[in-house]
Amino acid sequence: MASLKDVAKLANVSLMTVSRALNSPEKLKAETLERVQTAINHLNYVPDLSAKKIRGARATPDTIGVLALDTVTTPFSVDITLSIEETARAHGWNSFVVNMFSDDSPETMVDLLLSHRPSGIIYTTMGLRQVPVPHKLLSLPCVLANCESLHEPIASYIPNDEQGQYDAIKSLLARGYRRPLCLHLPANHPATIRRLKGLERAFHEAGIDPNALVHCYMEFGDEHYQDIPAMVQANMPKGRLTFDSVVCGNDRIAFLVYQVLLGRGIRIPEDVGVLGYDNMVGIGELFLPALSTVQLPHYEIGRLSALHIINSESHRRTVHVKSPLLERASI
């Protein structure tokens, strides 16, 4: 691979002149700049980002750096990161992602991100959560995607979980269901708290006391999805249904509910309606019957977060992004 020195030698100029051609071409005479560019093209030279870092220059004039906590480990990461990149490109910007896992040192990963000299930063997590934001990130324009700051106010774009669940329950009620079994995500999860508010509001408006419904909460940890079948069966004494529908905390819970119900010959939606949440990537329409669920607006969150940086927005509010209901055949 050609080096900066190779370009300088072929163009018969100094290393400093090549550097200026790459970073400040307006400072060179047209003839000199043309000579350097010809050498670059001839050698297929690609600029070395590490050299730029040493000199303290930006990797590009307009770049969004994405610090992604646990995001890459889930299928939803595609929507967030793809949206950020597509939005950045559409506005003449670039983007790059630094993945951070739960056992990584935040300080080390933040330093890695900043070493690329981004123009602004999007800090994103998978699964709505409240996070401590490393202070170093605030040295540049910063926005949070799918998470909120635990401490100082920082602009955040998150799903409108209360509205999403409210709309879903309204649809359930409109179809005549009145006795749902509610299988929630862990009780103190931010999404659970907000979705429960939407559920309660919809039932109150229908004249139904939400406290009279059966509410079951998962424990934290993926291994506790295995508890869902027992929760369903506990509400089917001697095979008798005590519910006419199941409101699921997410589509993974709905998948297990389908197995229990269909395995016992219970028809969906004729005997029991099932309502999911998340619109698990590539899965919802493969349920038989297709699962009614709420779309987590990750693509729109990524787009709005990128525009926040690109447009130099200065607000520090939390913006709740609409979570649309996808009505399919399960209710």
Side-chain angles (χ1 to χ4, degrees):
M1 183 179 291
S3 67
L4 201 70
K5 188 179 292 185
D6 296 328
V7 174
K9 182 177 180 180
L10 182 60
N12 195 27
V13 297
S14 67
L15 287 172
M16 182 61 73
T17 299
V18 177
S19 179
R20 284 177 179 164
L22 293 170
N23 299 303
S24 305
E26 71 279 0
K27 294 182 178 180
L28 294 180
K29 294 180 179 178
E31 180 186 350
T32 304
L33 179 60
E34 183 180 359
R35 204 159 69 241
V36 173
Q37 289 175 335
T38 299
I40 288 172
N41 293 335
H42 179 77
L43 295 170
N44 293 319
Y45 172 72
V46 176
D48 184 354
L49 291 184
S50 64
K52 288 191 172 190
K53 285 188 290 182
I54 292 170
R55 293 192 298 274
R58 293 187 185 274
T60 65
D62 296 305
T63 302
I64 297 174
V66 181
L67 183 62
L69 174 60
D70 292 335
T71 307
V72 75
T73 60
T74 73
F76 296 109
S77 65
V78 175
D79 276 348
I80 291 182
T81 54
L82 176 64
S83 177
I84 291 171
E85 181 168 356
E86 289 184 342
T87 304
R89 287 188 183 186
H91 289 79
W93 286 51
N94 293 321
S95 66
F96 67 91
V97 179
V98 171
N99 291 304
M100 180 167 68
F101 305 106
S102 297
D103 56 353
D104 282 331
S105 161
E107 293 78 13
T108 300
M109 304 313 294
V110 168
D111 285 346
L112 174 61
L113 178 82
L114 294 178
S115 71
H116 287 268
R117 303 297 191 269
S119 306
I121 296 165
I122 297 175
Y123 185 13
T124 179
T125 66
M126 189 42 56
L128 178 64
R129 64 183 84 176
Q130 296 173 321
V131 294
V133 179
H135 187 70
K136 281 185 179 180
L137 291 183
L138 304 183
S139 62
L140 292 171
C142 180
V143 62
L144 306 185
N146 206 43
C147 56
E148 297 173 280
S149 172
L150 267 175
H151 306 301
E152 55 271 275
I154 301 172
S156 305
Y157 293 86
I158 64 172
N160 193 336
D161 277 315
E162 181 176 344
Q163 162 266 317
Q165 190 71 85
Y166 172 81
D167 290 345
I169 297 300
K170 291 284 284 186
S171 179
L172 190 74
L173 290 166
R175 285 162 173 74
Y177 298 102
R178 291 295 184 273
R179 295 177 292 109
L181 169 63
C182 303
L183 304 179
H184 303 285
L185 296 174
N188 57 347
H189 191 290
T192 303
I193 295 168
R194 294 166 197 193
R195 293 175 192 177
L196 189 56
K197 287 182 180 179
L199 179 149
E200 290 173 343
R201 178 157 58 97
F203 276 109
H204 277 306
E205 289 179 3
I208 298 172
D209 181 4
N211 295 317
L213 306 177
V214 178
H215 296 273
C216 303
Y217 296 85
M218 266 185 62
E219 297 293 330
F220 272 103
D222 282 357
E223 68 275 14
H224 289 291
Y225 279 101
Q226 298 303 320
D227 301 336
I228 296 299
M231 292 180 185
V232 178
Q233 291 163 4
N235 288 278
M236 299 171 58
K238 297 182 179 180
R240 181 176 61 86
L241 290 171
T242 62
F243 52 88
D244 63 6
S245 53
V246 185
V247 176
C248 303
N250 62 17
D251 293 354
R252 295 174 70 182
I253 291 176
F255 177 77
L256 292 163
V257 169
Y258 265 54
Q259 292 185 68
V260 174
L261 296 180
L262 297 176
R264 291 186 172 225
I266 297 169
R267 299 170 302 165
I268 303 171
E270 293 85 356
D271 300 325
V272 175
V274 181
L275 185 63
Y277 208 106
D278 289 356
N279 193 31
M280 187 183 294
V281 177
I283 299 298
E285 292 182 341
L286 298 182
F287 281 76
L288 294 174
L291 178 66
S292 293
T293 187
V294 177
Q295 173 73 60
L296 281 177
H298 286 136
Y299 190 92
E300 183 67 2
I301 285 173
R303 188 184 74 85
L304 292 172
S305 299
L307 289 175
H308 186 98
I309 298 297
I310 293 167
N311 295 332
S312 300
E313 296 186 31
S314 58
H315 77 78
R316 298 189 175 187
R317 303 187 308 275
T318 294
V319 177
H320 294 87
V321 181
K322 182 177 176 60
S323 301
L325 171 64
L326 303 178
E327 296 184 279
R328 299 185 180 126
S330 65
I331 61 172

